[in-house]
Amino acid sequence: MRLVLMGPPGAGKGTQAIGLAARLAIPHISTGDIFRANVTEGTPLGIEAKRYMDAGEYVPDGVTNAMVRDRLAQDDCKPGFLLDGYPRTLEQVGELDSMLSAGGVAIDRAVELTVDVDEVVTRLVKRAQEQGRADDTEDVIRRRLEVYAEQTAPLTALYAERNLLVQVDGMGAVEDVTARLLEVLGA
Ligand code: AMP
């Protein structure tokens, strides 16, 4: 199964993606995690990405697309994968389409986790306190939500037109959301 998981910052995407990928036995590919690992290691990619991440902006498409292309070319992605946090722009959708069509495959489902915005802000502030993420200050949180609304929310309409979109209520206990996800995916 080739899946895309979408949802605003703080929707619980990362947590759900880990559980879902394990359950479906496919790799979990989080562009945010890959960027953070590069930031920690101080690689050139990490140094470039950090400037954008700290400001709540998206890392440029060229950088992000090249990184995903390399990751999807690895053998473990052959049976399927769960993309968490990618694609996030229309250009990324186009790039993903061409990466996959080159191998004769396509996305099977795009899952959107829906949440209440006030709840999202509460979750992000809590996460900032627990994990000390530099991109979780209140101003940056607001900017990340704006960027999501402007650049990423429109992607759901595109996947809906392709009849690939499923929306899942992301509110409530983690295990309840997981159960909803597994149900809509028929897993
Ligand atoms: P996340 O952990 O998915 O919330 O991602 C954290 C940050 O990494 C985002 O706010 C962006 O700065 C960057 N990032 C992650 N995925 C992407 C993407 N697909 N396109 C551009 N920037 C991204």
Side-chain angles (χ1 to χ4, degrees), residues 14-48:
T15 305
Q16 292 300 333
I18 292 167
L20 205 55
R23 184 69 179 257
L24 299 171
I26 50 177
H28 165 221
I29 303 173
S30 158
T31 42
D33 284 353
I34 302 173
F35 283 133
R36 278 185 290 276
N38 277 275
V39 170
T40 304
E41 289 161 24
T43 67
L45 175 70
I47 291 165
E48 161 107 20

Side-chain angles (χ1 to χ4, degrees), residues 31-32 35-36 53 57-59 64 85-86 88 92 144:
T31 42
F35 283 133
R36 278 185 290 276
M53 294 169 78
E57 305 292 336
Y58 287 165
V59 177
T64 308
Y86 182 94
R88 266 172 149 119
Q92 291 178 13
R144 290 171 66 215

Side-chain angles (χ1 to χ4, degrees), residues 60-143:
D61 285 331
V63 175
T64 308
N65 288 331
M67 186 176 87
V68 173
R69 184 181 288 277
D70 284 352
R71 183 62 189 89
L72 291 183
Q74 290 172 24
D75 277 350
D76 64 333
C77 293
K78 288 215 174 87
F81 50 78
L82 172 61
L83 281 170
D84 162 9
Y86 182 94
R88 266 172 149 119
T89 65
L90 285 170
E91 189 181 323
Q92 291 178 13
V93 173
E95 275 294 310
L96 177 61
D97 288 343
S98 68
M99 287 175 217
L100 296 180
S101 64
V105 296
I107 290 296
D108 297 306
R109 282 273 180 285
V111 184
E112 184 192 20
L113 279 178
T114 58
V115 286
D116 176 305
V117 176
D118 290 338
E119 172 70 23
V120 158
V121 175
T122 309
R123 279 189 196 186
L124 288 174
V125 170
K126 189 161 168 257
R127 187 170 75 184
Q129 287 160 354
E130 288 165 1
Q131 300 178 0
R133 275 178 51 160
D135 59 351
D136 274 350
T137 62
E138 199 166 333
D139 283 353
V140 177
I141 289 167
R142 266 186 234 292
R143 181 62 194 147

Side-chain angles (χ1 to χ4, degrees), residues 3-21:
L3 300 175
V4 165
L5 186 62
M6 303 175 61
K13 252 184 314 132
T15 305
Q16 292 300 333
I18 292 167
L20 205 55

